[in-house]
Amino acid sequence: MANRLKVIALLSLLPATVAMAQTKWTEKKSGDIVFVTNTGGQSLGYASTSGVKILTVDGLAFKDLNKNGKLDKYEDWRLLVDVRAKDLASQMSVEQIAGLMLYSKHQPIPAAPAGPFAGTYNGKKFAESGANPYDLSDQQKQFLAKDNVRHVLITSVQSPEIAAQWNNNAQAFVEGLGLGIPNNNSSDPRHGTVATAEYNAGAGGAISMWPGSLGFAATFDPKVVEGFGHIAALEYRALGIATALSPQVDIATEPRWARVSGTFGEDPQLSADMARGYIDGFQTSQGDKEITGGWGYGSVNAMVKHWPGGGAGEGGRDAHYGYGKYAVYPGNNFKQHLIPFTEGAFKLNGKTGMAASVMPYYTISFNQDTKNKENVANNYNSYIINDLLRKKYKYDGVVCTDWLVTGDETAVDQFLSGKSWGVEGLSIVQRHYKVLMAGVDQFGGNNEVGPVVAAYQIGVKEHGEVFMRARFEQSAVRLLRNIFRTGLFENPYLDATATKATVGSPEFMNAGYQAQLKSIVMLKNKKNILPLIKNKTVYVPKQFTPAGRNFLGMETPEKLEYPVNMETVKKYFKVTENPDEADYALVFINSPNSGGGYNSADAKNGGTGYVPISLQYGAYTATDARATSIAGGDPLEKFTNRTYKGKSATAINVTDLGMVTDTYAKMKGKPVIVSVNMANPMVFSELEKDADAILVDFGVQGQATLDILTGNSEPSALLPLQMPINMKTVEEQFEDVPHDMKCYVDEQGNTYDFGFGLNWKGLINDARTAKYKKGSVKP
């Protein structure tokens, strides 16, 4: 009997013993964050302050995000993403889905004291509040809690560590709300260069620095941009960023467009290949960071833009402004603008398959809607989104509007004005509804849930509750996929120490610098003056920048300063301020900038306001412009003809041309080397004969140029854009057609065409030029 009782007692202990043996997870606390390790499963992170508890099922740990004491499908990391997303979408209220459809306005960390991106802390400006820079602002708490926003656009950060700490605070805050949906933080491109920054091989930085998009295109090597994508994604995730509002793959068929510098150039195939490499790099997790299907903790969702291509703005004007709202297609070449999307972003080599998100551009793609015959902005156009993107090209990812598209237009020339092109007569709520019915999932730059909920109610009246609920859940599933795939539901938290070690690491800084070297194009090398002999004496003129306004419309002061870090120059050469003492002159200039094609003073004085955008420095009169514009019309204008024929423009930075001509005169026949930082194509006839050598870059550290000039590295890049022979060919080319300008021929007989570049041996002809250099118009 006694033995039998012992056996019974042992058996009664068995379930607990087995349960303990089957437990496959451990946890570790770091401050308020608890990190859980599942043996053979996903690692978790949650805030002890959020109210989330751990559920143990089959010995594994899961987060009880909705705090109901049971494991819901969306909380089960073993299930397929779509199963989880659909389960969660079905549990969300209309207000919660509407909040998920919002994309916040720009958020600097900490909040700015004034201006359009200002914020407060307990009602006070940051400097007066006593708050930490990583604390949430009043406005952030408002839109996260009240408006259910979960997509936050991060701009400036005080440091990588502060970005990581802010991320943890924000994630803990939303984890304690409702269904525990984490934030999907995002960023515009943030890996640009500082021209005066010095590169040291063993040193780190705030973030790795790479050439601009045109610079990547100039390498003609998609592997370079894919390598950038992998590194940038690791840095983004270390900052708490899981979505990149990039790449910009519009083909730059209109050379005057203000956003040419953000593209991969004018060639559709090169742009498609670059897009594919960029997105594969950003979205593909490698090694232990992969969860499934290439997605994971090293992945950053890519939001490719701007569908269906915004590079055909009439006269080069940009659709951020009412005066640039129309994209035109005089060459009937609309379909070629889709190639970077359909053959690049939607046909990846990597496991993730296609870009996670798409952003349409502001433009009205004039007369391209062959179904409904609507001339409304792409964000509102059902043919552009539903018929083409969704149905024809089978795209079922997130479509997010560009910023401020549902706002009211207040002026044709203001950057922060609403951009409801073609639907200005609708109410804000009606605009939201039209966007939803066009097939779009998300509203850029809108923190307020009210108009989206009101749009839902319009849909209920027109189509019934069942239809509209299904439409909302369809977008919710798309939006939630991008949060699940990147592992944010399991662990959105960061280790600030690891962030500091990752972002701007010496390894990443070196990779970026090597890419910069590969992006510099040598256009001219008369008498093989390059590479220069080191330690010779050089003269570098200062650069004058007149007062003006930046792209946001904010005033910028005039300045006179060296355009390159002179301490860095001194490591390569002796420096003199007297040209008579110099062996060489190094002249650093920017490509011509004549403004955006609209003169507010002209409009106020009775004119139309429309003026030419010039690609030369000196005065230009548009005698060859169209007498009647292809498109026109705006509620704030009393005319539809936007011609600028006969009007004149001079580059704001015409003094850059003076730097070259004056230096040429002062050097009295001694070599003048010109380095151009290029944002748009330019007419080289104004300065080429005054230069013995010409280098072009698209955003690099000045030190990279010096390494090319002195032979530490050989130039290998090629022009991703044509350089026009004159402004007449610019006026005669079609806004929508690439490779259709007559190109400049220099005094050595070289044509500055797409795909042209020199190395120390001369003209570059290799596998890259064989693949991409074709179809150009010769003089």
Side-chain angles (χ1 to χ4, degrees):
M1 184 69 177
N3 286 338
R4 185 180 174 194
L5 290 173
K6 285 180 180 178
V7 170
I8 292 171
L10 287 169
L11 288 172
S12 69
L13 291 172
L14 190 59
T17 305
V18 171
M20 289 175 64
Q22 287 181 341
T23 299
K24 303 172 185 176
W25 60 273
T26 58
E27 68 178 27
K28 181 177 68 174
K29 193 170 184 181
S30 177
D32 291 332
I33 309 302
V34 181
F35 294 101
V36 177
T37 301
N38 274 305
T39 303
Q42 293 305 311
S43 297
L44 312 178
Y46 68 96
S48 60
T49 57
S50 70
V52 166
K53 305 296 183 186
I54 291 295
L55 300 171
T56 302
V57 178
D58 299 333
L60 298 167
F62 302 85
K63 292 161 68 174
D64 185 12
L65 289 165
N66 62 6
K67 310 167 189 69
N68 67 354
K70 66 176 185 179
L71 182 64
D72 292 84
K73 288 181 180 179
Y74 86 89
E75 297 165 336
D76 190 343
W77 44 259
R78 299 170 299 182
L79 298 177
L80 295 174
V81 162
D82 268 23
V83 172
R84 299 178 72 186
K86 289 174 182 176
D87 176 62
L88 179 51
S90 71
Q91 296 189 39
M92 296 174 72
S93 68
V94 169
E95 288 75 17
Q96 287 171 325
I97 295 177
L100 195 65
M101 289 176 165
L102 302 178
Y103 224 121
S104 85
K105 297 175 182 176
H106 298 64
Q107 300 296 311
I109 301 171
F117 312 127
T120 56
Y121 298 81
N122 292 321
K124 298 179 179 179
K125 294 179 181 179
F126 172 71
E128 303 160 359
S129 67
N132 296 307
Y134 44 78
D135 289 342
L136 301 187
S137 70
D138 301 332
Q139 292 73 21
Q140 289 163 356
K141 292 176 183 177
Q142 167 74 24
F143 67 65
L144 292 172
K146 304 298 182 185
D147 294 290
N148 300 304
V149 172
R150 292 296 180 273
H151 293 80
V152 183
L153 175 55
I154 306 299
T155 55
S156 60
V157 296
Q158 203 169 87
S159 71
E161 305 97 292
I162 286 170
Q165 291 169 299
W166 181 90
N167 170 79
N168 289 356
N169 284 338
Q171 298 290 11
F173 183 80
V174 297
E175 191 173 71
L177 302 173
L179 296 163
I181 300 171
N183 281 345
N184 183 353
N185 300 326
S186 69
S187 175
D188 281 310
R190 57 194 313 122
H191 282 84
T193 59
V194 178
T196 56
E198 185 173 5
Y199 170 71
N200 294 305
I207 197 166
S208 60
M209 290 192 284
W210 298 73
S213 294
L214 280 177
F216 282 126
T219 69
F220 277 60
D221 184 355
K223 287 295 181 185
V224 173
V225 76
E226 184 174 351
F228 158 72
H230 282 304
I231 288 173
L234 293 174
E235 292 184 309
Y236 271 30
R237 291 305 299 266
L239 293 167
I241 294 167
T243 292
L245 301 186
S246 57
Q248 183 192 336
V249 304
D250 318 70
I251 52 173
T253 52
E254 170 46 64
R256 295 164 290 188
W257 187 35
R259 302 198 70 181
V260 166
S261 63
T263 73
F264 293 125
E266 67 181 291
D267 187 76
Q269 190 56 55
L270 178 61
S271 297
D273 293 346
M274 288 290 169
R276 189 183 307 110
Y278 187 109
I279 298 166
D280 271 333
F282 264 91
Q283 290 190 172
T284 305
S285 287
Q286 298 175 316
D288 61 2
K289 289 186 179 294
E290 183 180 2
I291 297 173
T292 185
W295 291 102
Y297 296 106
S299 299
V300 171
N301 300 294
M303 185 179 289
V304 62
K305 54 190 186 184
H306 304 88
W307 178 264
E314 184 163 17
R317 298 184 295 272
D318 181 66
H320 277 86
Y321 303 88
Y323 61 71
K325 64 167 66 171
Y326 295 101
V328 295
Y329 300 87
N332 297 314
N333 198 40
F334 176 78
K335 289 182 180 179
Q336 212 169 14
H337 288 255
L338 307 183
I339 289 173
F341 299 92
T342 60
E343 302 303 316
F346 303 163
K347 288 186 180 179
L348 303 181
N349 293 327
K351 296 180 190 177
T352 64
M354 63 173 56
S357 304
V358 169
M359 180 188 291
Y361 203 42
Y362 296 114
T363 46
I364 295 170
S365 296
F366 191 67
N367 286 349
Q368 299 308 302
D369 180 349
T370 57
K371 180 181 180 181
N372 305 309
K373 310 298 182 183
E374 275 197 302
N375 275 315
V376 296
N378 298 313
N379 299 278
Y380 293 95
N381 194 305
S382 181
Y383 172 75
I384 297 289
I385 306 300
N386 275 328
D387 291 277
L388 285 184
L389 181 61
R390 296 289 192 200
K391 294 176 184 176
K392 183 173 182 177
Y393 296 108
K394 313 297 183 187
Y395 184 77
D396 193 38
V398 169
V399 177
C400 177
T401 75
D402 215 325
W403 266 231
L404 298 177
V405 303
T406 56
D408 290 328
E409 182 185 21
T410 56
V412 296
D413 60 347
Q414 294 298 312
F415 182 85
L416 293 176
S417 175
K419 307 173 200 310
S420 48
W421 310 145
V423 295
E424 295 91 344
L426 298 181
S427 71
I428 289 176
V429 171
Q430 289 170 331
R431 291 173 198 153
H432 280 77
Y433 179 63
K434 188 170 178 63
V435 165
L436 288 170
M437 291 301 100
V440 176
D441 305 296
Q442 199 165 29
F443 300 91
N446 181 3
N447 297 359
E448 298 167 356
V449 76
V452 188
V453 174
Y456 179 87
Q457 297 304 328
I458 293 177
V460 170
K461 289 178 182 178
E462 291 197 5
H463 301 284
E465 184 85 41
V466 173
F467 172 91
M468 207 58 198
R469 175 72 202 190
R471 173 67 190 87
F472 258 44
E473 287 193 27
Q474 180 186 47
S475 284
V477 168
R478 290 169 180 153
L479 291 158
L480 290 168
R481 277 185 197 137
N482 291 351
I483 309 178
F484 279 114
R485 291 190 297 204
T486 48
L488 292 170
F489 273 91
E490 278 57 72
N491 180 23
Y493 296 99
L494 301 169
D495 177 345
T497 303
T499 292
K500 184 177 181 180
T502 300
V503 180
S505 71
E507 177 190 356
F508 295 169
M509 296 296 287
N510 178 60
Y513 190 73
Q514 297 307 314
Q516 290 180 50
L517 292 171
K518 292 179 181 178
S519 75
I520 298 172
V521 183
M522 183 164 70
L523 294 184
K524 186 177 182 181
N525 190 17
K526 187 177 179 180
K527 297 181 181 178
N528 293 321
I529 187 65
L530 300 182
L532 301 177
I533 300 170
K534 294 180 184 178
N535 297 316
K536 289 282 190 174
T537 302
V538 299
Y539 166 68
V540 181
K542 289 183 177 180
Q543 185 179 38
F544 174 74
T545 303
R549 293 182 182 275
N550 64 16
F551 196 63
L552 291 171
M554 298 176 180
E555 290 187 1
T556 55
E558 72 171 44
K559 56 187 179 182
L560 178 65
E561 59 187 10
Y562 285 112
V564 64
N565 187 329
M566 294 305 291
E567 293 306 311
T568 304
V569 174
K570 289 174 183 176
K571 294 181 179 180
Y572 295 79
F573 303 105
K574 298 184 180 78
V575 175
T576 180
E577 294 185 4
N578 183 358
D580 291 334
E581 298 174 353
D583 298 301
Y584 317 119
L586 307 181
V587 186
F588 293 84
I589 61 174
N590 297 322
S591 56
N593 172 16
S594 68
Y598 190 85
N599 186 310
S600 301
D602 176 72
K604 289 175 183 177
N605 292 324
T608 64
Y610 290 90
V611 294
I613 299 174
S614 178
L615 300 182
Q616 65 185 43
Y617 294 103
Y620 163 67
T621 300
T623 55
D624 296 299
R626 293 186 186 106
T628 304
S629 63
I630 293 174
D634 187 278
L636 301 180
E637 294 178 339
K638 297 178 180 179
F639 54 88
T640 57
N641 186 3
R642 293 180 161 190
T643 183
Y644 50 84
K645 185 178 178 68
K647 291 188 176 181
S648 300
T650 301
I652 298 164
N653 60 333
V654 65
T655 48
D656 279 19
L657 175 61
M659 289 172 66
V660 177
T661 55
D662 291 350
T663 301
Y664 175 78
K666 290 175 180 177
M667 289 298 290
K668 300 172 183 174
K670 291 181 290 185
V672 175
I673 292 86
V674 176
S675 175
V676 185
N677 173 231
M678 183 173 285
N680 289 81
M682 58 184 282
V683 178
F684 272 94
S685 60
E686 294 178 296
L687 60 85
E688 178 264 323
K689 290 182 175 58
D690 291 345
D692 294 272
I694 300 173
L695 297 183
V696 168
D697 73 79
F698 306 96
V700 299
Q701 293 164 258
Q703 185 174 350
T705 301
L706 292 168
D707 274 338
I708 296 286
L709 288 174
T710 56
N712 288 346
S713 185
E714 183 172 12
S716 61
L718 307 166
L719 283 177
L721 301 160
Q722 292 185 313
M723 298 297 121
I725 189 171
N726 51 33
M727 283 302 298
K728 178 179 173 62
T729 194
V730 173
E731 296 290 2
E732 292 175 347
Q733 58 88 38
F734 289 151
E735 284 92 337
D736 58 323
V737 177
H739 310 306
D740 64 340
M741 292 193 294
K742 291 184 178 180
C743 297
Y744 181 72
V745 180
D746 71 12
E747 63 179 352
Q748 294 183 288
N750 288 318
T751 303
Y752 293 179
D753 202 347
F754 173 84
F756 169 74
L758 302 172
N759 58 22
W760 300 142
K761 295 177 182 178
L763 182 67
I764 297 173
N765 278 307
D766 57 18
R768 299 173 301 162
T769 55
K771 180 176 182 179
Y772 294 109
K773 191 177 178 183
K774 55 187 181 296
S776 300
V777 175
K778 304 300 180 185

